[in-house]
Structure formats: structure tokens, C-alpha cells
Amino acid sequence: MSTKTPRFSHLPLSTSGPEKCALTGAALLRSPYFNKGSAFPAEERRAFQLNGLLPANVQTLDEQVKRAYRQYSSRQDPLAKNTFMTSMKEQNQVLYYRASTQPSRSQLIQDHLKEMFSVIYTPTEGDAIQNFSTLFRRPEGCFLNITEQDQIEGNLATFGDAEDIDYIVVTDGEQNEQLLNDEIYLGLRRPRVRGKEYDAFVGTFVKSARKLYPRAYIHFEDFALPNARRILDQYRPDIACFNDDVQGTGCVTLAAIMSGLHVSKVDLADMRMVVFGSGSAGTGIAEMVRDAIAAESGKSKEDAAKQIWCVDRPGLLLQSQGDALTHAQVPFARNDSEWEGKEHDDLLSVVKNVKPHVMVGTSTRPKSFTEEIVKEMAKHVDRPIIFPLSNPTRLHEADPKDLNAWTKGKALIATGSPFPPVEHDGKKYEVAECNNSTCFPGIGLGAVLCRARLLSDKMLVAAVKALARQSPALQDPDKGLLPDVADVREISVEIAKAVIKQAAEEGLAQEDDIPADDDALLAEWIREQMWDPSYRALQRVEPESASSYARGELGAGSSRKAS
């Protein structure tokens, strides 16, 4: 990645130059945004009254990284490692996120990303969330209480002024009801709220967030199926928002499908796809693929949907199922007349009739892609594209090594969790990880930097194409269908460029002076505003004249307030 230049250092979100800081002594060491620990240089130790509070030896970030990795490695299991990393993040965010642009330097997560990713993200982070009440040490973020809706605006307001917040991630805390019986449970001890009270709660949050932070991008995360799609549909026409489980999963899967179709020499307009598991993830994938088919072929969305067959617990989705269908399933329910006299109650029957090029699993039903089903699919297409995406790994619809063996090395595979390469007849094939984290950061980055008024379908398709263009399989069909998550920063630059250009073309970009017509300049403009986990020089300022960020008073950091 190129180094930053002063050309765009005047931007409000510029990450170059020193940071203003009004904290001193122990208060500074308690700030995860400013704390450098043993890496505070001598001049900053004097200026910020740290002498006597730190060991004498001034260390480099590299040396801190080496020590941190030793500590990480001493933890015995993934959850303990996750807890250690969370504790580090609460103390020193630069050390946690370290991602140096100089390859010779040590990089805790970046150097060990393949090893650590399943610990700091899926699946171990899910285990940590389930054990939140047990592992809790200190609060992070904003906790909103559904019984105190009149306080939502005030609670959100503690996180800064309108220009302080760019990106808001929100979840409704969908959790296992058994947690209510845990005596140390930290959540609201009452059954899950539904209906009008729930909708009013979400509405109050969105209204308050928009009032306080009108330019912020809202990212909905881990909302259950009955709510995810309808909430997104309700607010998407009016604000820049994104649901990772619906759109993120759809985007990254579509990118992998596009790469697979390129390898198999099948046009998107001719593709047939079966989706097994028609919840928020499955229907989100179906919608993204449908919209892409329509955009590429000129077909209507209704006609494009006819190339997609969705299967759920009762079998193939049919129009006669009526009210049993969710809002998101309705567009993909087939006309019953198409299936008169044909079996459609199980996946094998559907595969036999459809002869799909692509089969996607989001069912959480382990081993449901059986040898018989996979071999049936492989009878009819030369390079079957098979994606067992359910997480965690124990819920995968199939093991990649079985898929590879059953298709004699012809399957193009992507999974929802990392898997090692597979072999057939001495030939190695890399299994792509269909991970949302290669996609949603770049989409959000682009939307934030251009101050997108909305996140349009065309902006999402532009993001998908940018991700697909980086597929290693385009150069070597035995490589993964998606780029490696270790390259997420550069991936994000490319996706952000595509999102910003499309937003500008549609008149949705509200930021001034975006260099959208110069590809290299736009990339430089983006990188200048990407936070780098490296220690910036601190400039001491007096509390009376300091910003809220410099005083350590914001609920979340903002590089803008430090410069």
C-alpha cells in the first residue's frame, strides 16, 4: 500500500500528522485511543507526566507486538485467546489493530491474520458473545434499554457532536432465551419483545441517530429473520444503511459466484441456482443474484428470480404456501403449476429437476449436501459451484474435501469458515472463504467518505464487481474464488473506489471535491482517510481549549477530532 502524502492532509478525516491530547498521567494510560504503553517516547513521557508510571525502556511497536503474540500464544483455547485480544483492545487499540505498511515490521493481527481470524471473528467471537455476561470486564459502546425509550437520544448524545460519528453498528441483541436463567446475565431480564413496542424502539433509535449524527452510516448487524429484511426495507429508501446478514452475505457470495462462473465459462444470465436455507442470509443472497442478473441481462427482476430456486424446511418454496412465506421469500416462491407431478419436498428432488450450476447452503443443517446430491449436480454441469456457507464449521452443509472427491476435483468451492486446501489426484485446490469481512468494510468506507445519501442497489453491485475483479481464480482456476482476507485493506480501497464512483454517478454523494474521475488520485484520497494502526505523535493541549476527543470524553474515537 502506498504511503500517505500531504496532498489531502487538509481533509477533516485525514489521518496524517500529530494528534491533540489533553490527557496526562494515569488518565492517558487508561485511554485505549491514545495509550502507547511502553512505546511512549521520552519527550512524550515528559510532556504528558508519564515518568515513573512506565518501565524505563522505551520499546518500539514491533517489540510490543512480539510480546503480545507470546502472551496470545500462551492462552490454551480459542475463547481464552479471544478474551485476551478483547482485553488488549480495551487498553491499546493501535497494538490490537496493528497493520503496518512496511512489510519488515511485525504486525500482530496482520502477520498472524490467518491464525487469528477465527479467534477474533467467526466462529469464536460468536462464542464470546454467548458468554458475554461471564466474560464481561468493561463496557464498550452504547447500551439502549427498550423500557427507557425516552432516554435513547440522550444516551446516544454522549458519544459526541454531529461531526464526531461516521459509522454506527447496531444490533437488537437477539440471543438464546436460556440466558435469562443465568444468575449473572447482564441483559434485560424479560422475554424478547416483539410487535409494536419493538418497532417503536427501533424507530426511536433511527430517528435519534439521524437527528444527532445526520451524516452517519447505519450498519444493522445480527437481526433475526423476521426483523432483518423488513427493517432494512423500511429505512433503506430514506437513509444510508446496510444489513450485513442480508446484503453483506449476498454481496460476498455473489462475488464468489461471478468468479466461479468466469472459471466455468457460464454467463450470469444463463445461470441456474439453488439456495438451501431461505432465511435472511439465503434470501439476501438470492436477492443480490437476482438484481445482478437483471442488471447484466436487462431482464426484469421477476424474470431474473425465475433462475433461482429456494428450498427451506418444507421443501421448495411455492406460492401456495401463502402466509407461511416470509416477506423476503415471496419473490422466489415458484408457481405450483411448474411442479405438478414432480417431487419437490427435498433438496435431491429439486437438484434433479433444476440441474443447477450453483448450489448455496445457508441452512445450518450439517452434512445436508450429501454425496448423492452432489454427484447428481455434477452429472449435469462441468464445474459445479458449491458453497456450504453455514457457520460455525460444525454446521457446514458439507466438507470441502468430500465435495472435491465426489466431483473428482471439478467443484468450485467457497465456505463460510476457513478450510485448508483440498487435493485430488495430486492437484491442490484452494478453498475460498466466503467471508463478509472482505466486503462490508469497503462498502461502509466508500459510503462514509462520499457521505452517501443512500446506499443504492447499483452501489452494491459496483462493490460486488470490485471484489470479484480481485479473485485469484481469474488468473489461476485452482486458486480461491475470493481474495484472501489478509488483504482486506487493499480490497477495501478498491471496493470503496467503486462505491464512491457509483454514488457520484447517481448523484448520491454529498461530499465536495471528490476526485472520482482520477482512479489513482481517488485511491490516494481514500487512503489518506483510512485509519492506520500506528502511533502518531501526540501534541499536548490544555483541557479548556481541547475537543471532546482530545479530552478523552467521547464514547468512540474520531480521528477528525484529534487533528
Side-chain angles (χ1 to χ4, degrees), residues 198-407:
Y198 175 90
D199 289 344
F201 182 50
V202 175
T204 301
F205 159 75
V206 172
K207 182 179 179 181
S208 299
R210 293 296 293 167
K211 177 182 177 181
L212 293 166
Y213 311 115
R215 302 209 301 174
Y217 170 91
I218 297 180
H219 173 137
F220 295 104
E221 182 72 29
D222 285 341
F223 280 70
L225 173 59
N227 297 319
R229 168 52 64 182
R230 66 183 187 85
I231 289 173
L232 181 64
D233 288 346
Q234 179 177 350
Y235 295 107
R236 194 177 176 218
D238 302 314
I239 65 174
C241 63
F242 175 84
N243 184 297
D244 187 41
D245 303 287
V246 176
Q247 296 166 300
T249 302
C251 285
V252 73
T253 306
L254 175 57
I257 289 171
M258 286 181 165
S259 301
L261 293 175
H262 176 87
V263 173
S264 58
K265 297 179 172 59
V266 175
D267 290 336
L268 184 63
D270 300 324
M271 179 208 67
R272 298 181 300 276
M273 180 174 78
V274 168
V275 178
F276 183 58
S278 301
S280 59
T283 55
I285 292 167
E287 288 179 1
M288 285 298 304
V289 173
R290 176 201 63 190
D291 293 350
I293 292 171
E296 292 291 308
S297 67
K299 297 179 182 179
S300 67
K301 288 187 177 182
E302 291 75 16
D303 284 341
K306 293 176 182 177
Q307 296 176 221
I308 302 167
W309 288 259
C310 291
V311 181
D312 212 61
R313 289 183 179 86
L316 183 67
L317 299 186
L318 297 172
Q319 292 174 0
S320 62
Q321 292 161 2
D323 292 342
L325 299 171
T326 67
H327 175 69
Q329 291 172 343
V330 169
F332 302 99
R334 312 297 296 198
N335 190 310
D336 291 58
S337 63
E338 298 174 19
W339 288 82
E340 286 184 9
K342 299 177 184 177
E343 292 292 329
H344 53 73
D345 293 336
D346 60 86
L347 180 59
L348 177 60
S349 298
V350 174
V351 168
K352 283 182 176 180
N353 282 280
V354 172
K355 301 176 178 58
H357 301 94
V358 180
M359 184 166 63
V360 175
T362 54
S363 67
T364 67
R365 292 176 59 181
K367 307 301 180 184
S368 50
F369 288 177
T370 64
E371 182 175 0
E372 184 179 11
I373 290 171
V374 171
K375 285 186 173 180
E376 178 64 33
M377 181 181 180
K379 285 180 186 178
H380 308 288
V381 294
D382 184 52
R383 299 297 302 269
I385 300 170
I386 307 176
F387 295 172
L389 300 182
S390 292
N391 277 317
T393 305
R394 60 183 170 80
L395 300 180
H396 264 39
E397 287 79 8
D399 191 304
K401 69 177 185 296
D402 292 331
L403 297 176
N404 195 52
W406 296 337
T407 62

Side-chain angles (χ1 to χ4, degrees), residues 34-106:
F34 292 123
N35 184 26
K36 302 179 184 180
S38 59
F40 275 108
E43 63 273 16
E44 289 184 353
R45 295 186 182 206
R46 290 191 298 271
F48 290 90
Q49 301 172 15
L50 297 174
N51 286 325
L53 299 179
L54 292 166
N57 184 27
V58 176
Q59 294 192 306
T60 65
L61 183 51
D62 293 350
E63 291 170 328
Q64 289 182 315
V65 166
K66 290 176 183 177
R67 180 173 61 250
Y69 183 65
R70 288 182 188 176
Q71 294 170 344
Y72 169 89
S73 299
S74 72
R75 271 49 181 186
Q76 297 302 308
D77 59 73
L79 189 57
K81 287 179 165 66
N82 177 282
T83 302
F84 169 78
M85 294 299 291
T86 299
S87 178
M88 184 191 303
K89 182 171 176 281
E90 293 169 349
Q91 298 172 59
N92 184 331
Q93 289 205 350
V94 167
L95 183 56
Y96 175 85
Y97 284 115
R98 177 69 167 116
S100 173
T101 60
Q102 299 182 34
S104 62
R105 292 185 177 178
S106 299

Side-chain angles (χ1 to χ4, degrees), residues 188 207 405 414 530:
L188 191 64
K207 182 179 179 181
M530 290 177 71

Side-chain angles (χ1 to χ4, degrees), residues 404-405 408-409 421-430 478:
N404 195 52
K408 298 181 180 179
V422 294
E423 290 190 24
H424 181 77
D425 287 344
K427 191 174 185 180
K428 185 177 290 187
Y429 174 77
E430 293 183 9
D478 293 324

